């Protein structure tokens, strides 16, 4: 299955993944981690990277050996049969009603910081963002990759500028002694910080669009993950250095507040624009991944409009369906006034469950050290579901509902 243009290189891949991981978290999570664990959060980031590394290795191996626009659903389908693959596909798509509108709200929030717009004005920003994503999606993945690589450079430059202007010296970073680290603080911080590394499953849908997927896809995934981790750690160092955290201020305002303190009020525009672009990049890669998932699932019905590619070799019809659905749910959430934290909780449970299914698929499809990494990743995902507890009910309920509905649809299709 292909037809998608194969034009992504290593640098573009690193830009795509790093901005996907940084996304909505780079401005908020360093302050949240500092608030939960104070100086211990400096050790929490290296620990988290070590924990996520097995999952990344397993995803890299799956993408290298079984590249497909179907991503997670393709891996699970190969391991456990087409029915489970379709369940995984629909589970991934069930993020659209809650996850994408939540990310759009966070992106629009940066304009509220600078312009003080009302809820109606922010809704217009969300709609305009969806339109931009659709326009970008009419071009090949290379166009998104080039833009997101530039956004990654801007985010790295912002953190570097804070270090430079704030006279932060690596030798003076106050690392706590390991024996003084409080395990309870670390675990609370890790539970929040894990969501910074949600995005690996979306990146897997782009494996077939690399010029040399066997070589560049695994490298881009691992390098992008390490770059994002380094930026998050650098942001945490800055937040601790300037004491820009605590219940008295919004977490997302921590880095912009530091920028204003160092460079003046006029620099707030720069910080907020970069924050918006980082959010835009995250929403963009997920939207494009959803479109590729829909397109790949439609291949079973080659005459379907969703199975067609545009002249630019992009799944334009599938993208239009995804963007239209997101617009519908964004308007619905606006009218219902659902809170952001509720949307994020529902989306996070689905991501962990998809990670778990992919790790189980890796245990069956991979061999050697890659299989061992998939096994370690499986145990980590199970632990995360336990930590989430009742908050994962939405994901488990969606999985059960999809599982029950799919066979019924299959029988109806057979009768027709």
């Amino acid at each position: 299955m292909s037809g998608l243009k194969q034009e992504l290189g290593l640098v573009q891949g690193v830009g795509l993944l790093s901005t996907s991981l940084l996304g909505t978290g780079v401005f908020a999570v360093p302050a949240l981690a500092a608030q939960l664990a104070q100086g211990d959060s400096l050790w929490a980031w290296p620990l988290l990277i070590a924990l996520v590394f097995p999952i990344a290795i397993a995803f890299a191996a799956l993408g290298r050996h079984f590249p497909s626009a179907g991503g997670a659903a393709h891996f699970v389908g190969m391991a456990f049969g087409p029915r489970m693959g379709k369940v995984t596909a629909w589970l991934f798509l069930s993020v659209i009603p809650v996850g994408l509108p939540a990310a759009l709200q966070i992106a629009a929030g940066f304009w509220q910081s600078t312009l003080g717009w009302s809820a109606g004005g922010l809704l217009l920003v969300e709609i305009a963002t969806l339109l931009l994503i659709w326009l970008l999606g009419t071009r090949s993945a290379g166009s998104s990759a080039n833009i997101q690589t530039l956004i990654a450079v801007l985010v790295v430059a912002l953190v570097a500028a804070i270090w430079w202007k704030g006279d932060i010296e690596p030798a003076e970073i106050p690392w706590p002694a390991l024996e003084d680290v409080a395990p309870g603080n670390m675990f609370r911080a890790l539970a929040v910080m894990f969501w910074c590394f949600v995005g690996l499953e979306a990146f897997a849908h782009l494996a077939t669009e690399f010029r040399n997927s066997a070589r560049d896809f695994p490298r881009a995934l691992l390098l992008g993950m390490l770059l994002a981790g380094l930026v998050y750690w650098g942001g945490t160092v800055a937040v601790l250095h300037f004491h820009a955290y605590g219940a008295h201020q919004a977490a997302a305002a921590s880095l912009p507040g530091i920028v204003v303190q160092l460079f003046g009020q006029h620099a707030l525009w720069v910080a907020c624009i970069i924050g918006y672009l980082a959010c835009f990049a995250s929403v963009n890669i997920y939207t494009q991944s959803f479109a590729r998932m829909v397109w790949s699932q439609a291949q079973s019905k080659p005459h379907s409009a969703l199975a067609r590619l545009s002249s630019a070799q992009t799944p334009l019809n599938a993208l239009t369906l995804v963007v239209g659905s997101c617009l519908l749910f964004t308007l619905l959430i606006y009218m219902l006034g659902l809170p952001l934290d509720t949307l994020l909780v529902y989306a996070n449970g689905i991501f962990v469950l998809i990670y778990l299914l992919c790790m189980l698929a890796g245990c069956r499809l991979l061999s050697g050290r890659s299989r061992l990494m998939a096994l370690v990743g499986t145990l980590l995902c199970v632990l995360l579901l336990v930590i989430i507890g009742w908050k994962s009910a939405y994901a488990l309920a969606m999985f059960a509902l999809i599982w029950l509905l799919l066979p019924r649809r299959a029988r109806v299709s057979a009768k027709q």
Side-chain angles (χ1 to χ4, degrees):
M1 178 199 308
S2 196
L4 297 171
K5 188 177 292 186
Q6 296 173 312
E7 60 177 347
L8 297 179
L10 177 60
V11 174
Q12 292 172 309
V14 171
L16 277 169
L17 182 63
S18 60
T19 49
S20 172
L21 298 180
L22 292 169
T24 56
V26 66
F27 277 66
V29 175
L32 291 174
Q35 183 176 334
L36 290 168
Q38 290 77 50
D40 294 352
S41 59
L42 293 176
W43 286 110
W45 287 108
L47 177 59
L48 179 61
I49 292 174
L51 291 174
V52 175
F53 195 73
I55 297 177
I57 289 290
F59 267 113
L62 288 168
R64 177 184 179 186
H65 295 295
F66 314 105
S68 170
H74 177 71
F75 306 146
V76 175
M78 287 190 65
F80 304 111
R83 181 163 171 255
M84 183 61 82
K86 284 191 174 294
V87 170
T88 304
W90 280 103
L91 185 64
F92 187 55
L93 293 174
S94 70
V95 175
I96 293 177
V98 290
L100 287 183
L104 287 170
Q105 283 188 28
I106 296 173
F110 284 99
W111 294 107
Q112 187 177 37
S113 299
T114 54
L115 301 174
W117 284 350
S118 64
L122 297 181
L123 177 63
L124 293 178
V125 172
E126 294 174 27
I127 294 173
T129 300
L130 281 175
L131 177 60
L132 288 174
I133 289 172
W134 183 85
L135 290 172
L136 188 57
T138 61
R139 304 175 65 86
S140 63
S143 298
S144 288
N146 291 333
I147 291 175
Q148 297 203 192
T149 299
L150 176 60
I151 294 173
V153 171
L154 291 174
V155 173
V156 172
L158 178 65
V159 175
I162 290 174
W163 273 51
W164 168 72
K165 188 69 172 179
D167 293 325
I168 300 176
E169 297 290 341
E172 298 176 0
I173 295 173
W175 291 91
L178 286 176
E179 58 269 20
D180 295 332
V181 173
N185 289 343
M186 288 282 282
F187 291 143
R188 284 192 294 271
L190 287 171
V192 173
M193 292 158 54
F194 175 79
W195 309 122
C196 298
F197 291 92
V198 168
L200 302 178
E201 79 296 335
F203 189 63
H205 292 270
L206 302 174
T208 58
E209 295 173 71
F210 280 80
R211 287 190 293 270
N212 189 335
S213 61
R215 182 192 67 192
D216 290 338
F217 174 78
R219 294 179 181 179
L221 190 148
L222 295 175
L223 289 174
M225 185 193 74
L226 291 174
L227 175 60
L230 181 61
V231 172
Y232 275 118
W233 178 82
T236 302
V237 171
V239 166
L240 289 169
H241 182 80
F242 290 97
H243 301 283
Y245 62 93
H248 62 282
Q249 66 176 63
S254 58
L255 288 184
I258 294 173
V259 169
V260 170
Q261 182 179 339
L262 294 175
F263 298 98
Q265 186 65 34
H266 61 279
L268 179 62
W269 278 92
V270 176
C272 289
I273 288 173
I274 293 176
Y276 169 79
L277 290 175
C279 293
F280 174 87
S282 183
V283 178
N284 179 59
I285 192 172
Y286 266 102
T287 306
Q288 307 301 341
S289 298
F290 285 134
R292 281 151 178 78
M293 171 70 81
V294 171
W295 174 78
S296 68
Q297 292 299 309
Q299 297 303 301
S300 59
K301 298 179 180 179
H303 297 296
S304 168
L306 297 176
R308 299 173 192 161
L309 294 176
S310 68
S311 58
Q313 294 178 266
T314 63
L316 181 58
N317 292 335
L319 176 65
T320 301
L321 176 63
V322 170
V323 171
S325 299
C326 186
L327 174 60
L328 176 64
F329 286 111
T330 298
L331 294 173
L332 181 62
I333 287 170
Y334 172 77
M335 288 186 291
L336 295 176
L338 295 179
L340 177 62
D341 56 348
T342 300
L343 301 177
L344 290 176
V345 166
Y346 290 155
N348 287 339
I350 291 176
F351 287 130
V352 175
L353 187 54
I354 291 174
Y355 272 42
L356 175 60
L357 292 172
C358 288
M359 292 303 100
L360 290 171
C363 291
R364 191 160 189 173
L365 296 175
L366 301 174
S367 59
R369 283 181 289 185
S370 296
R371 175 179 287 178
L372 177 61
M373 292 296 99
L375 177 60
V376 174
T378 298
L379 298 176
L380 176 61
C381 290
V382 170
L383 177 62
L384 286 168
L385 281 177
V386 172
I387 291 174
I388 293 173
W390 67 268
K391 296 177 182 179
S392 61
Y394 175 76
L396 297 174
M398 289 302 301
F399 180 86
L401 181 64
I402 295 167
W403 180 271
L404 291 173
L405 289 180
L406 276 180
R408 188 181 305 170
R409 290 179 179 177
R411 288 196 294 269
V412 172
S413 298
K415 291 179 181 179
Q416 292 176 343

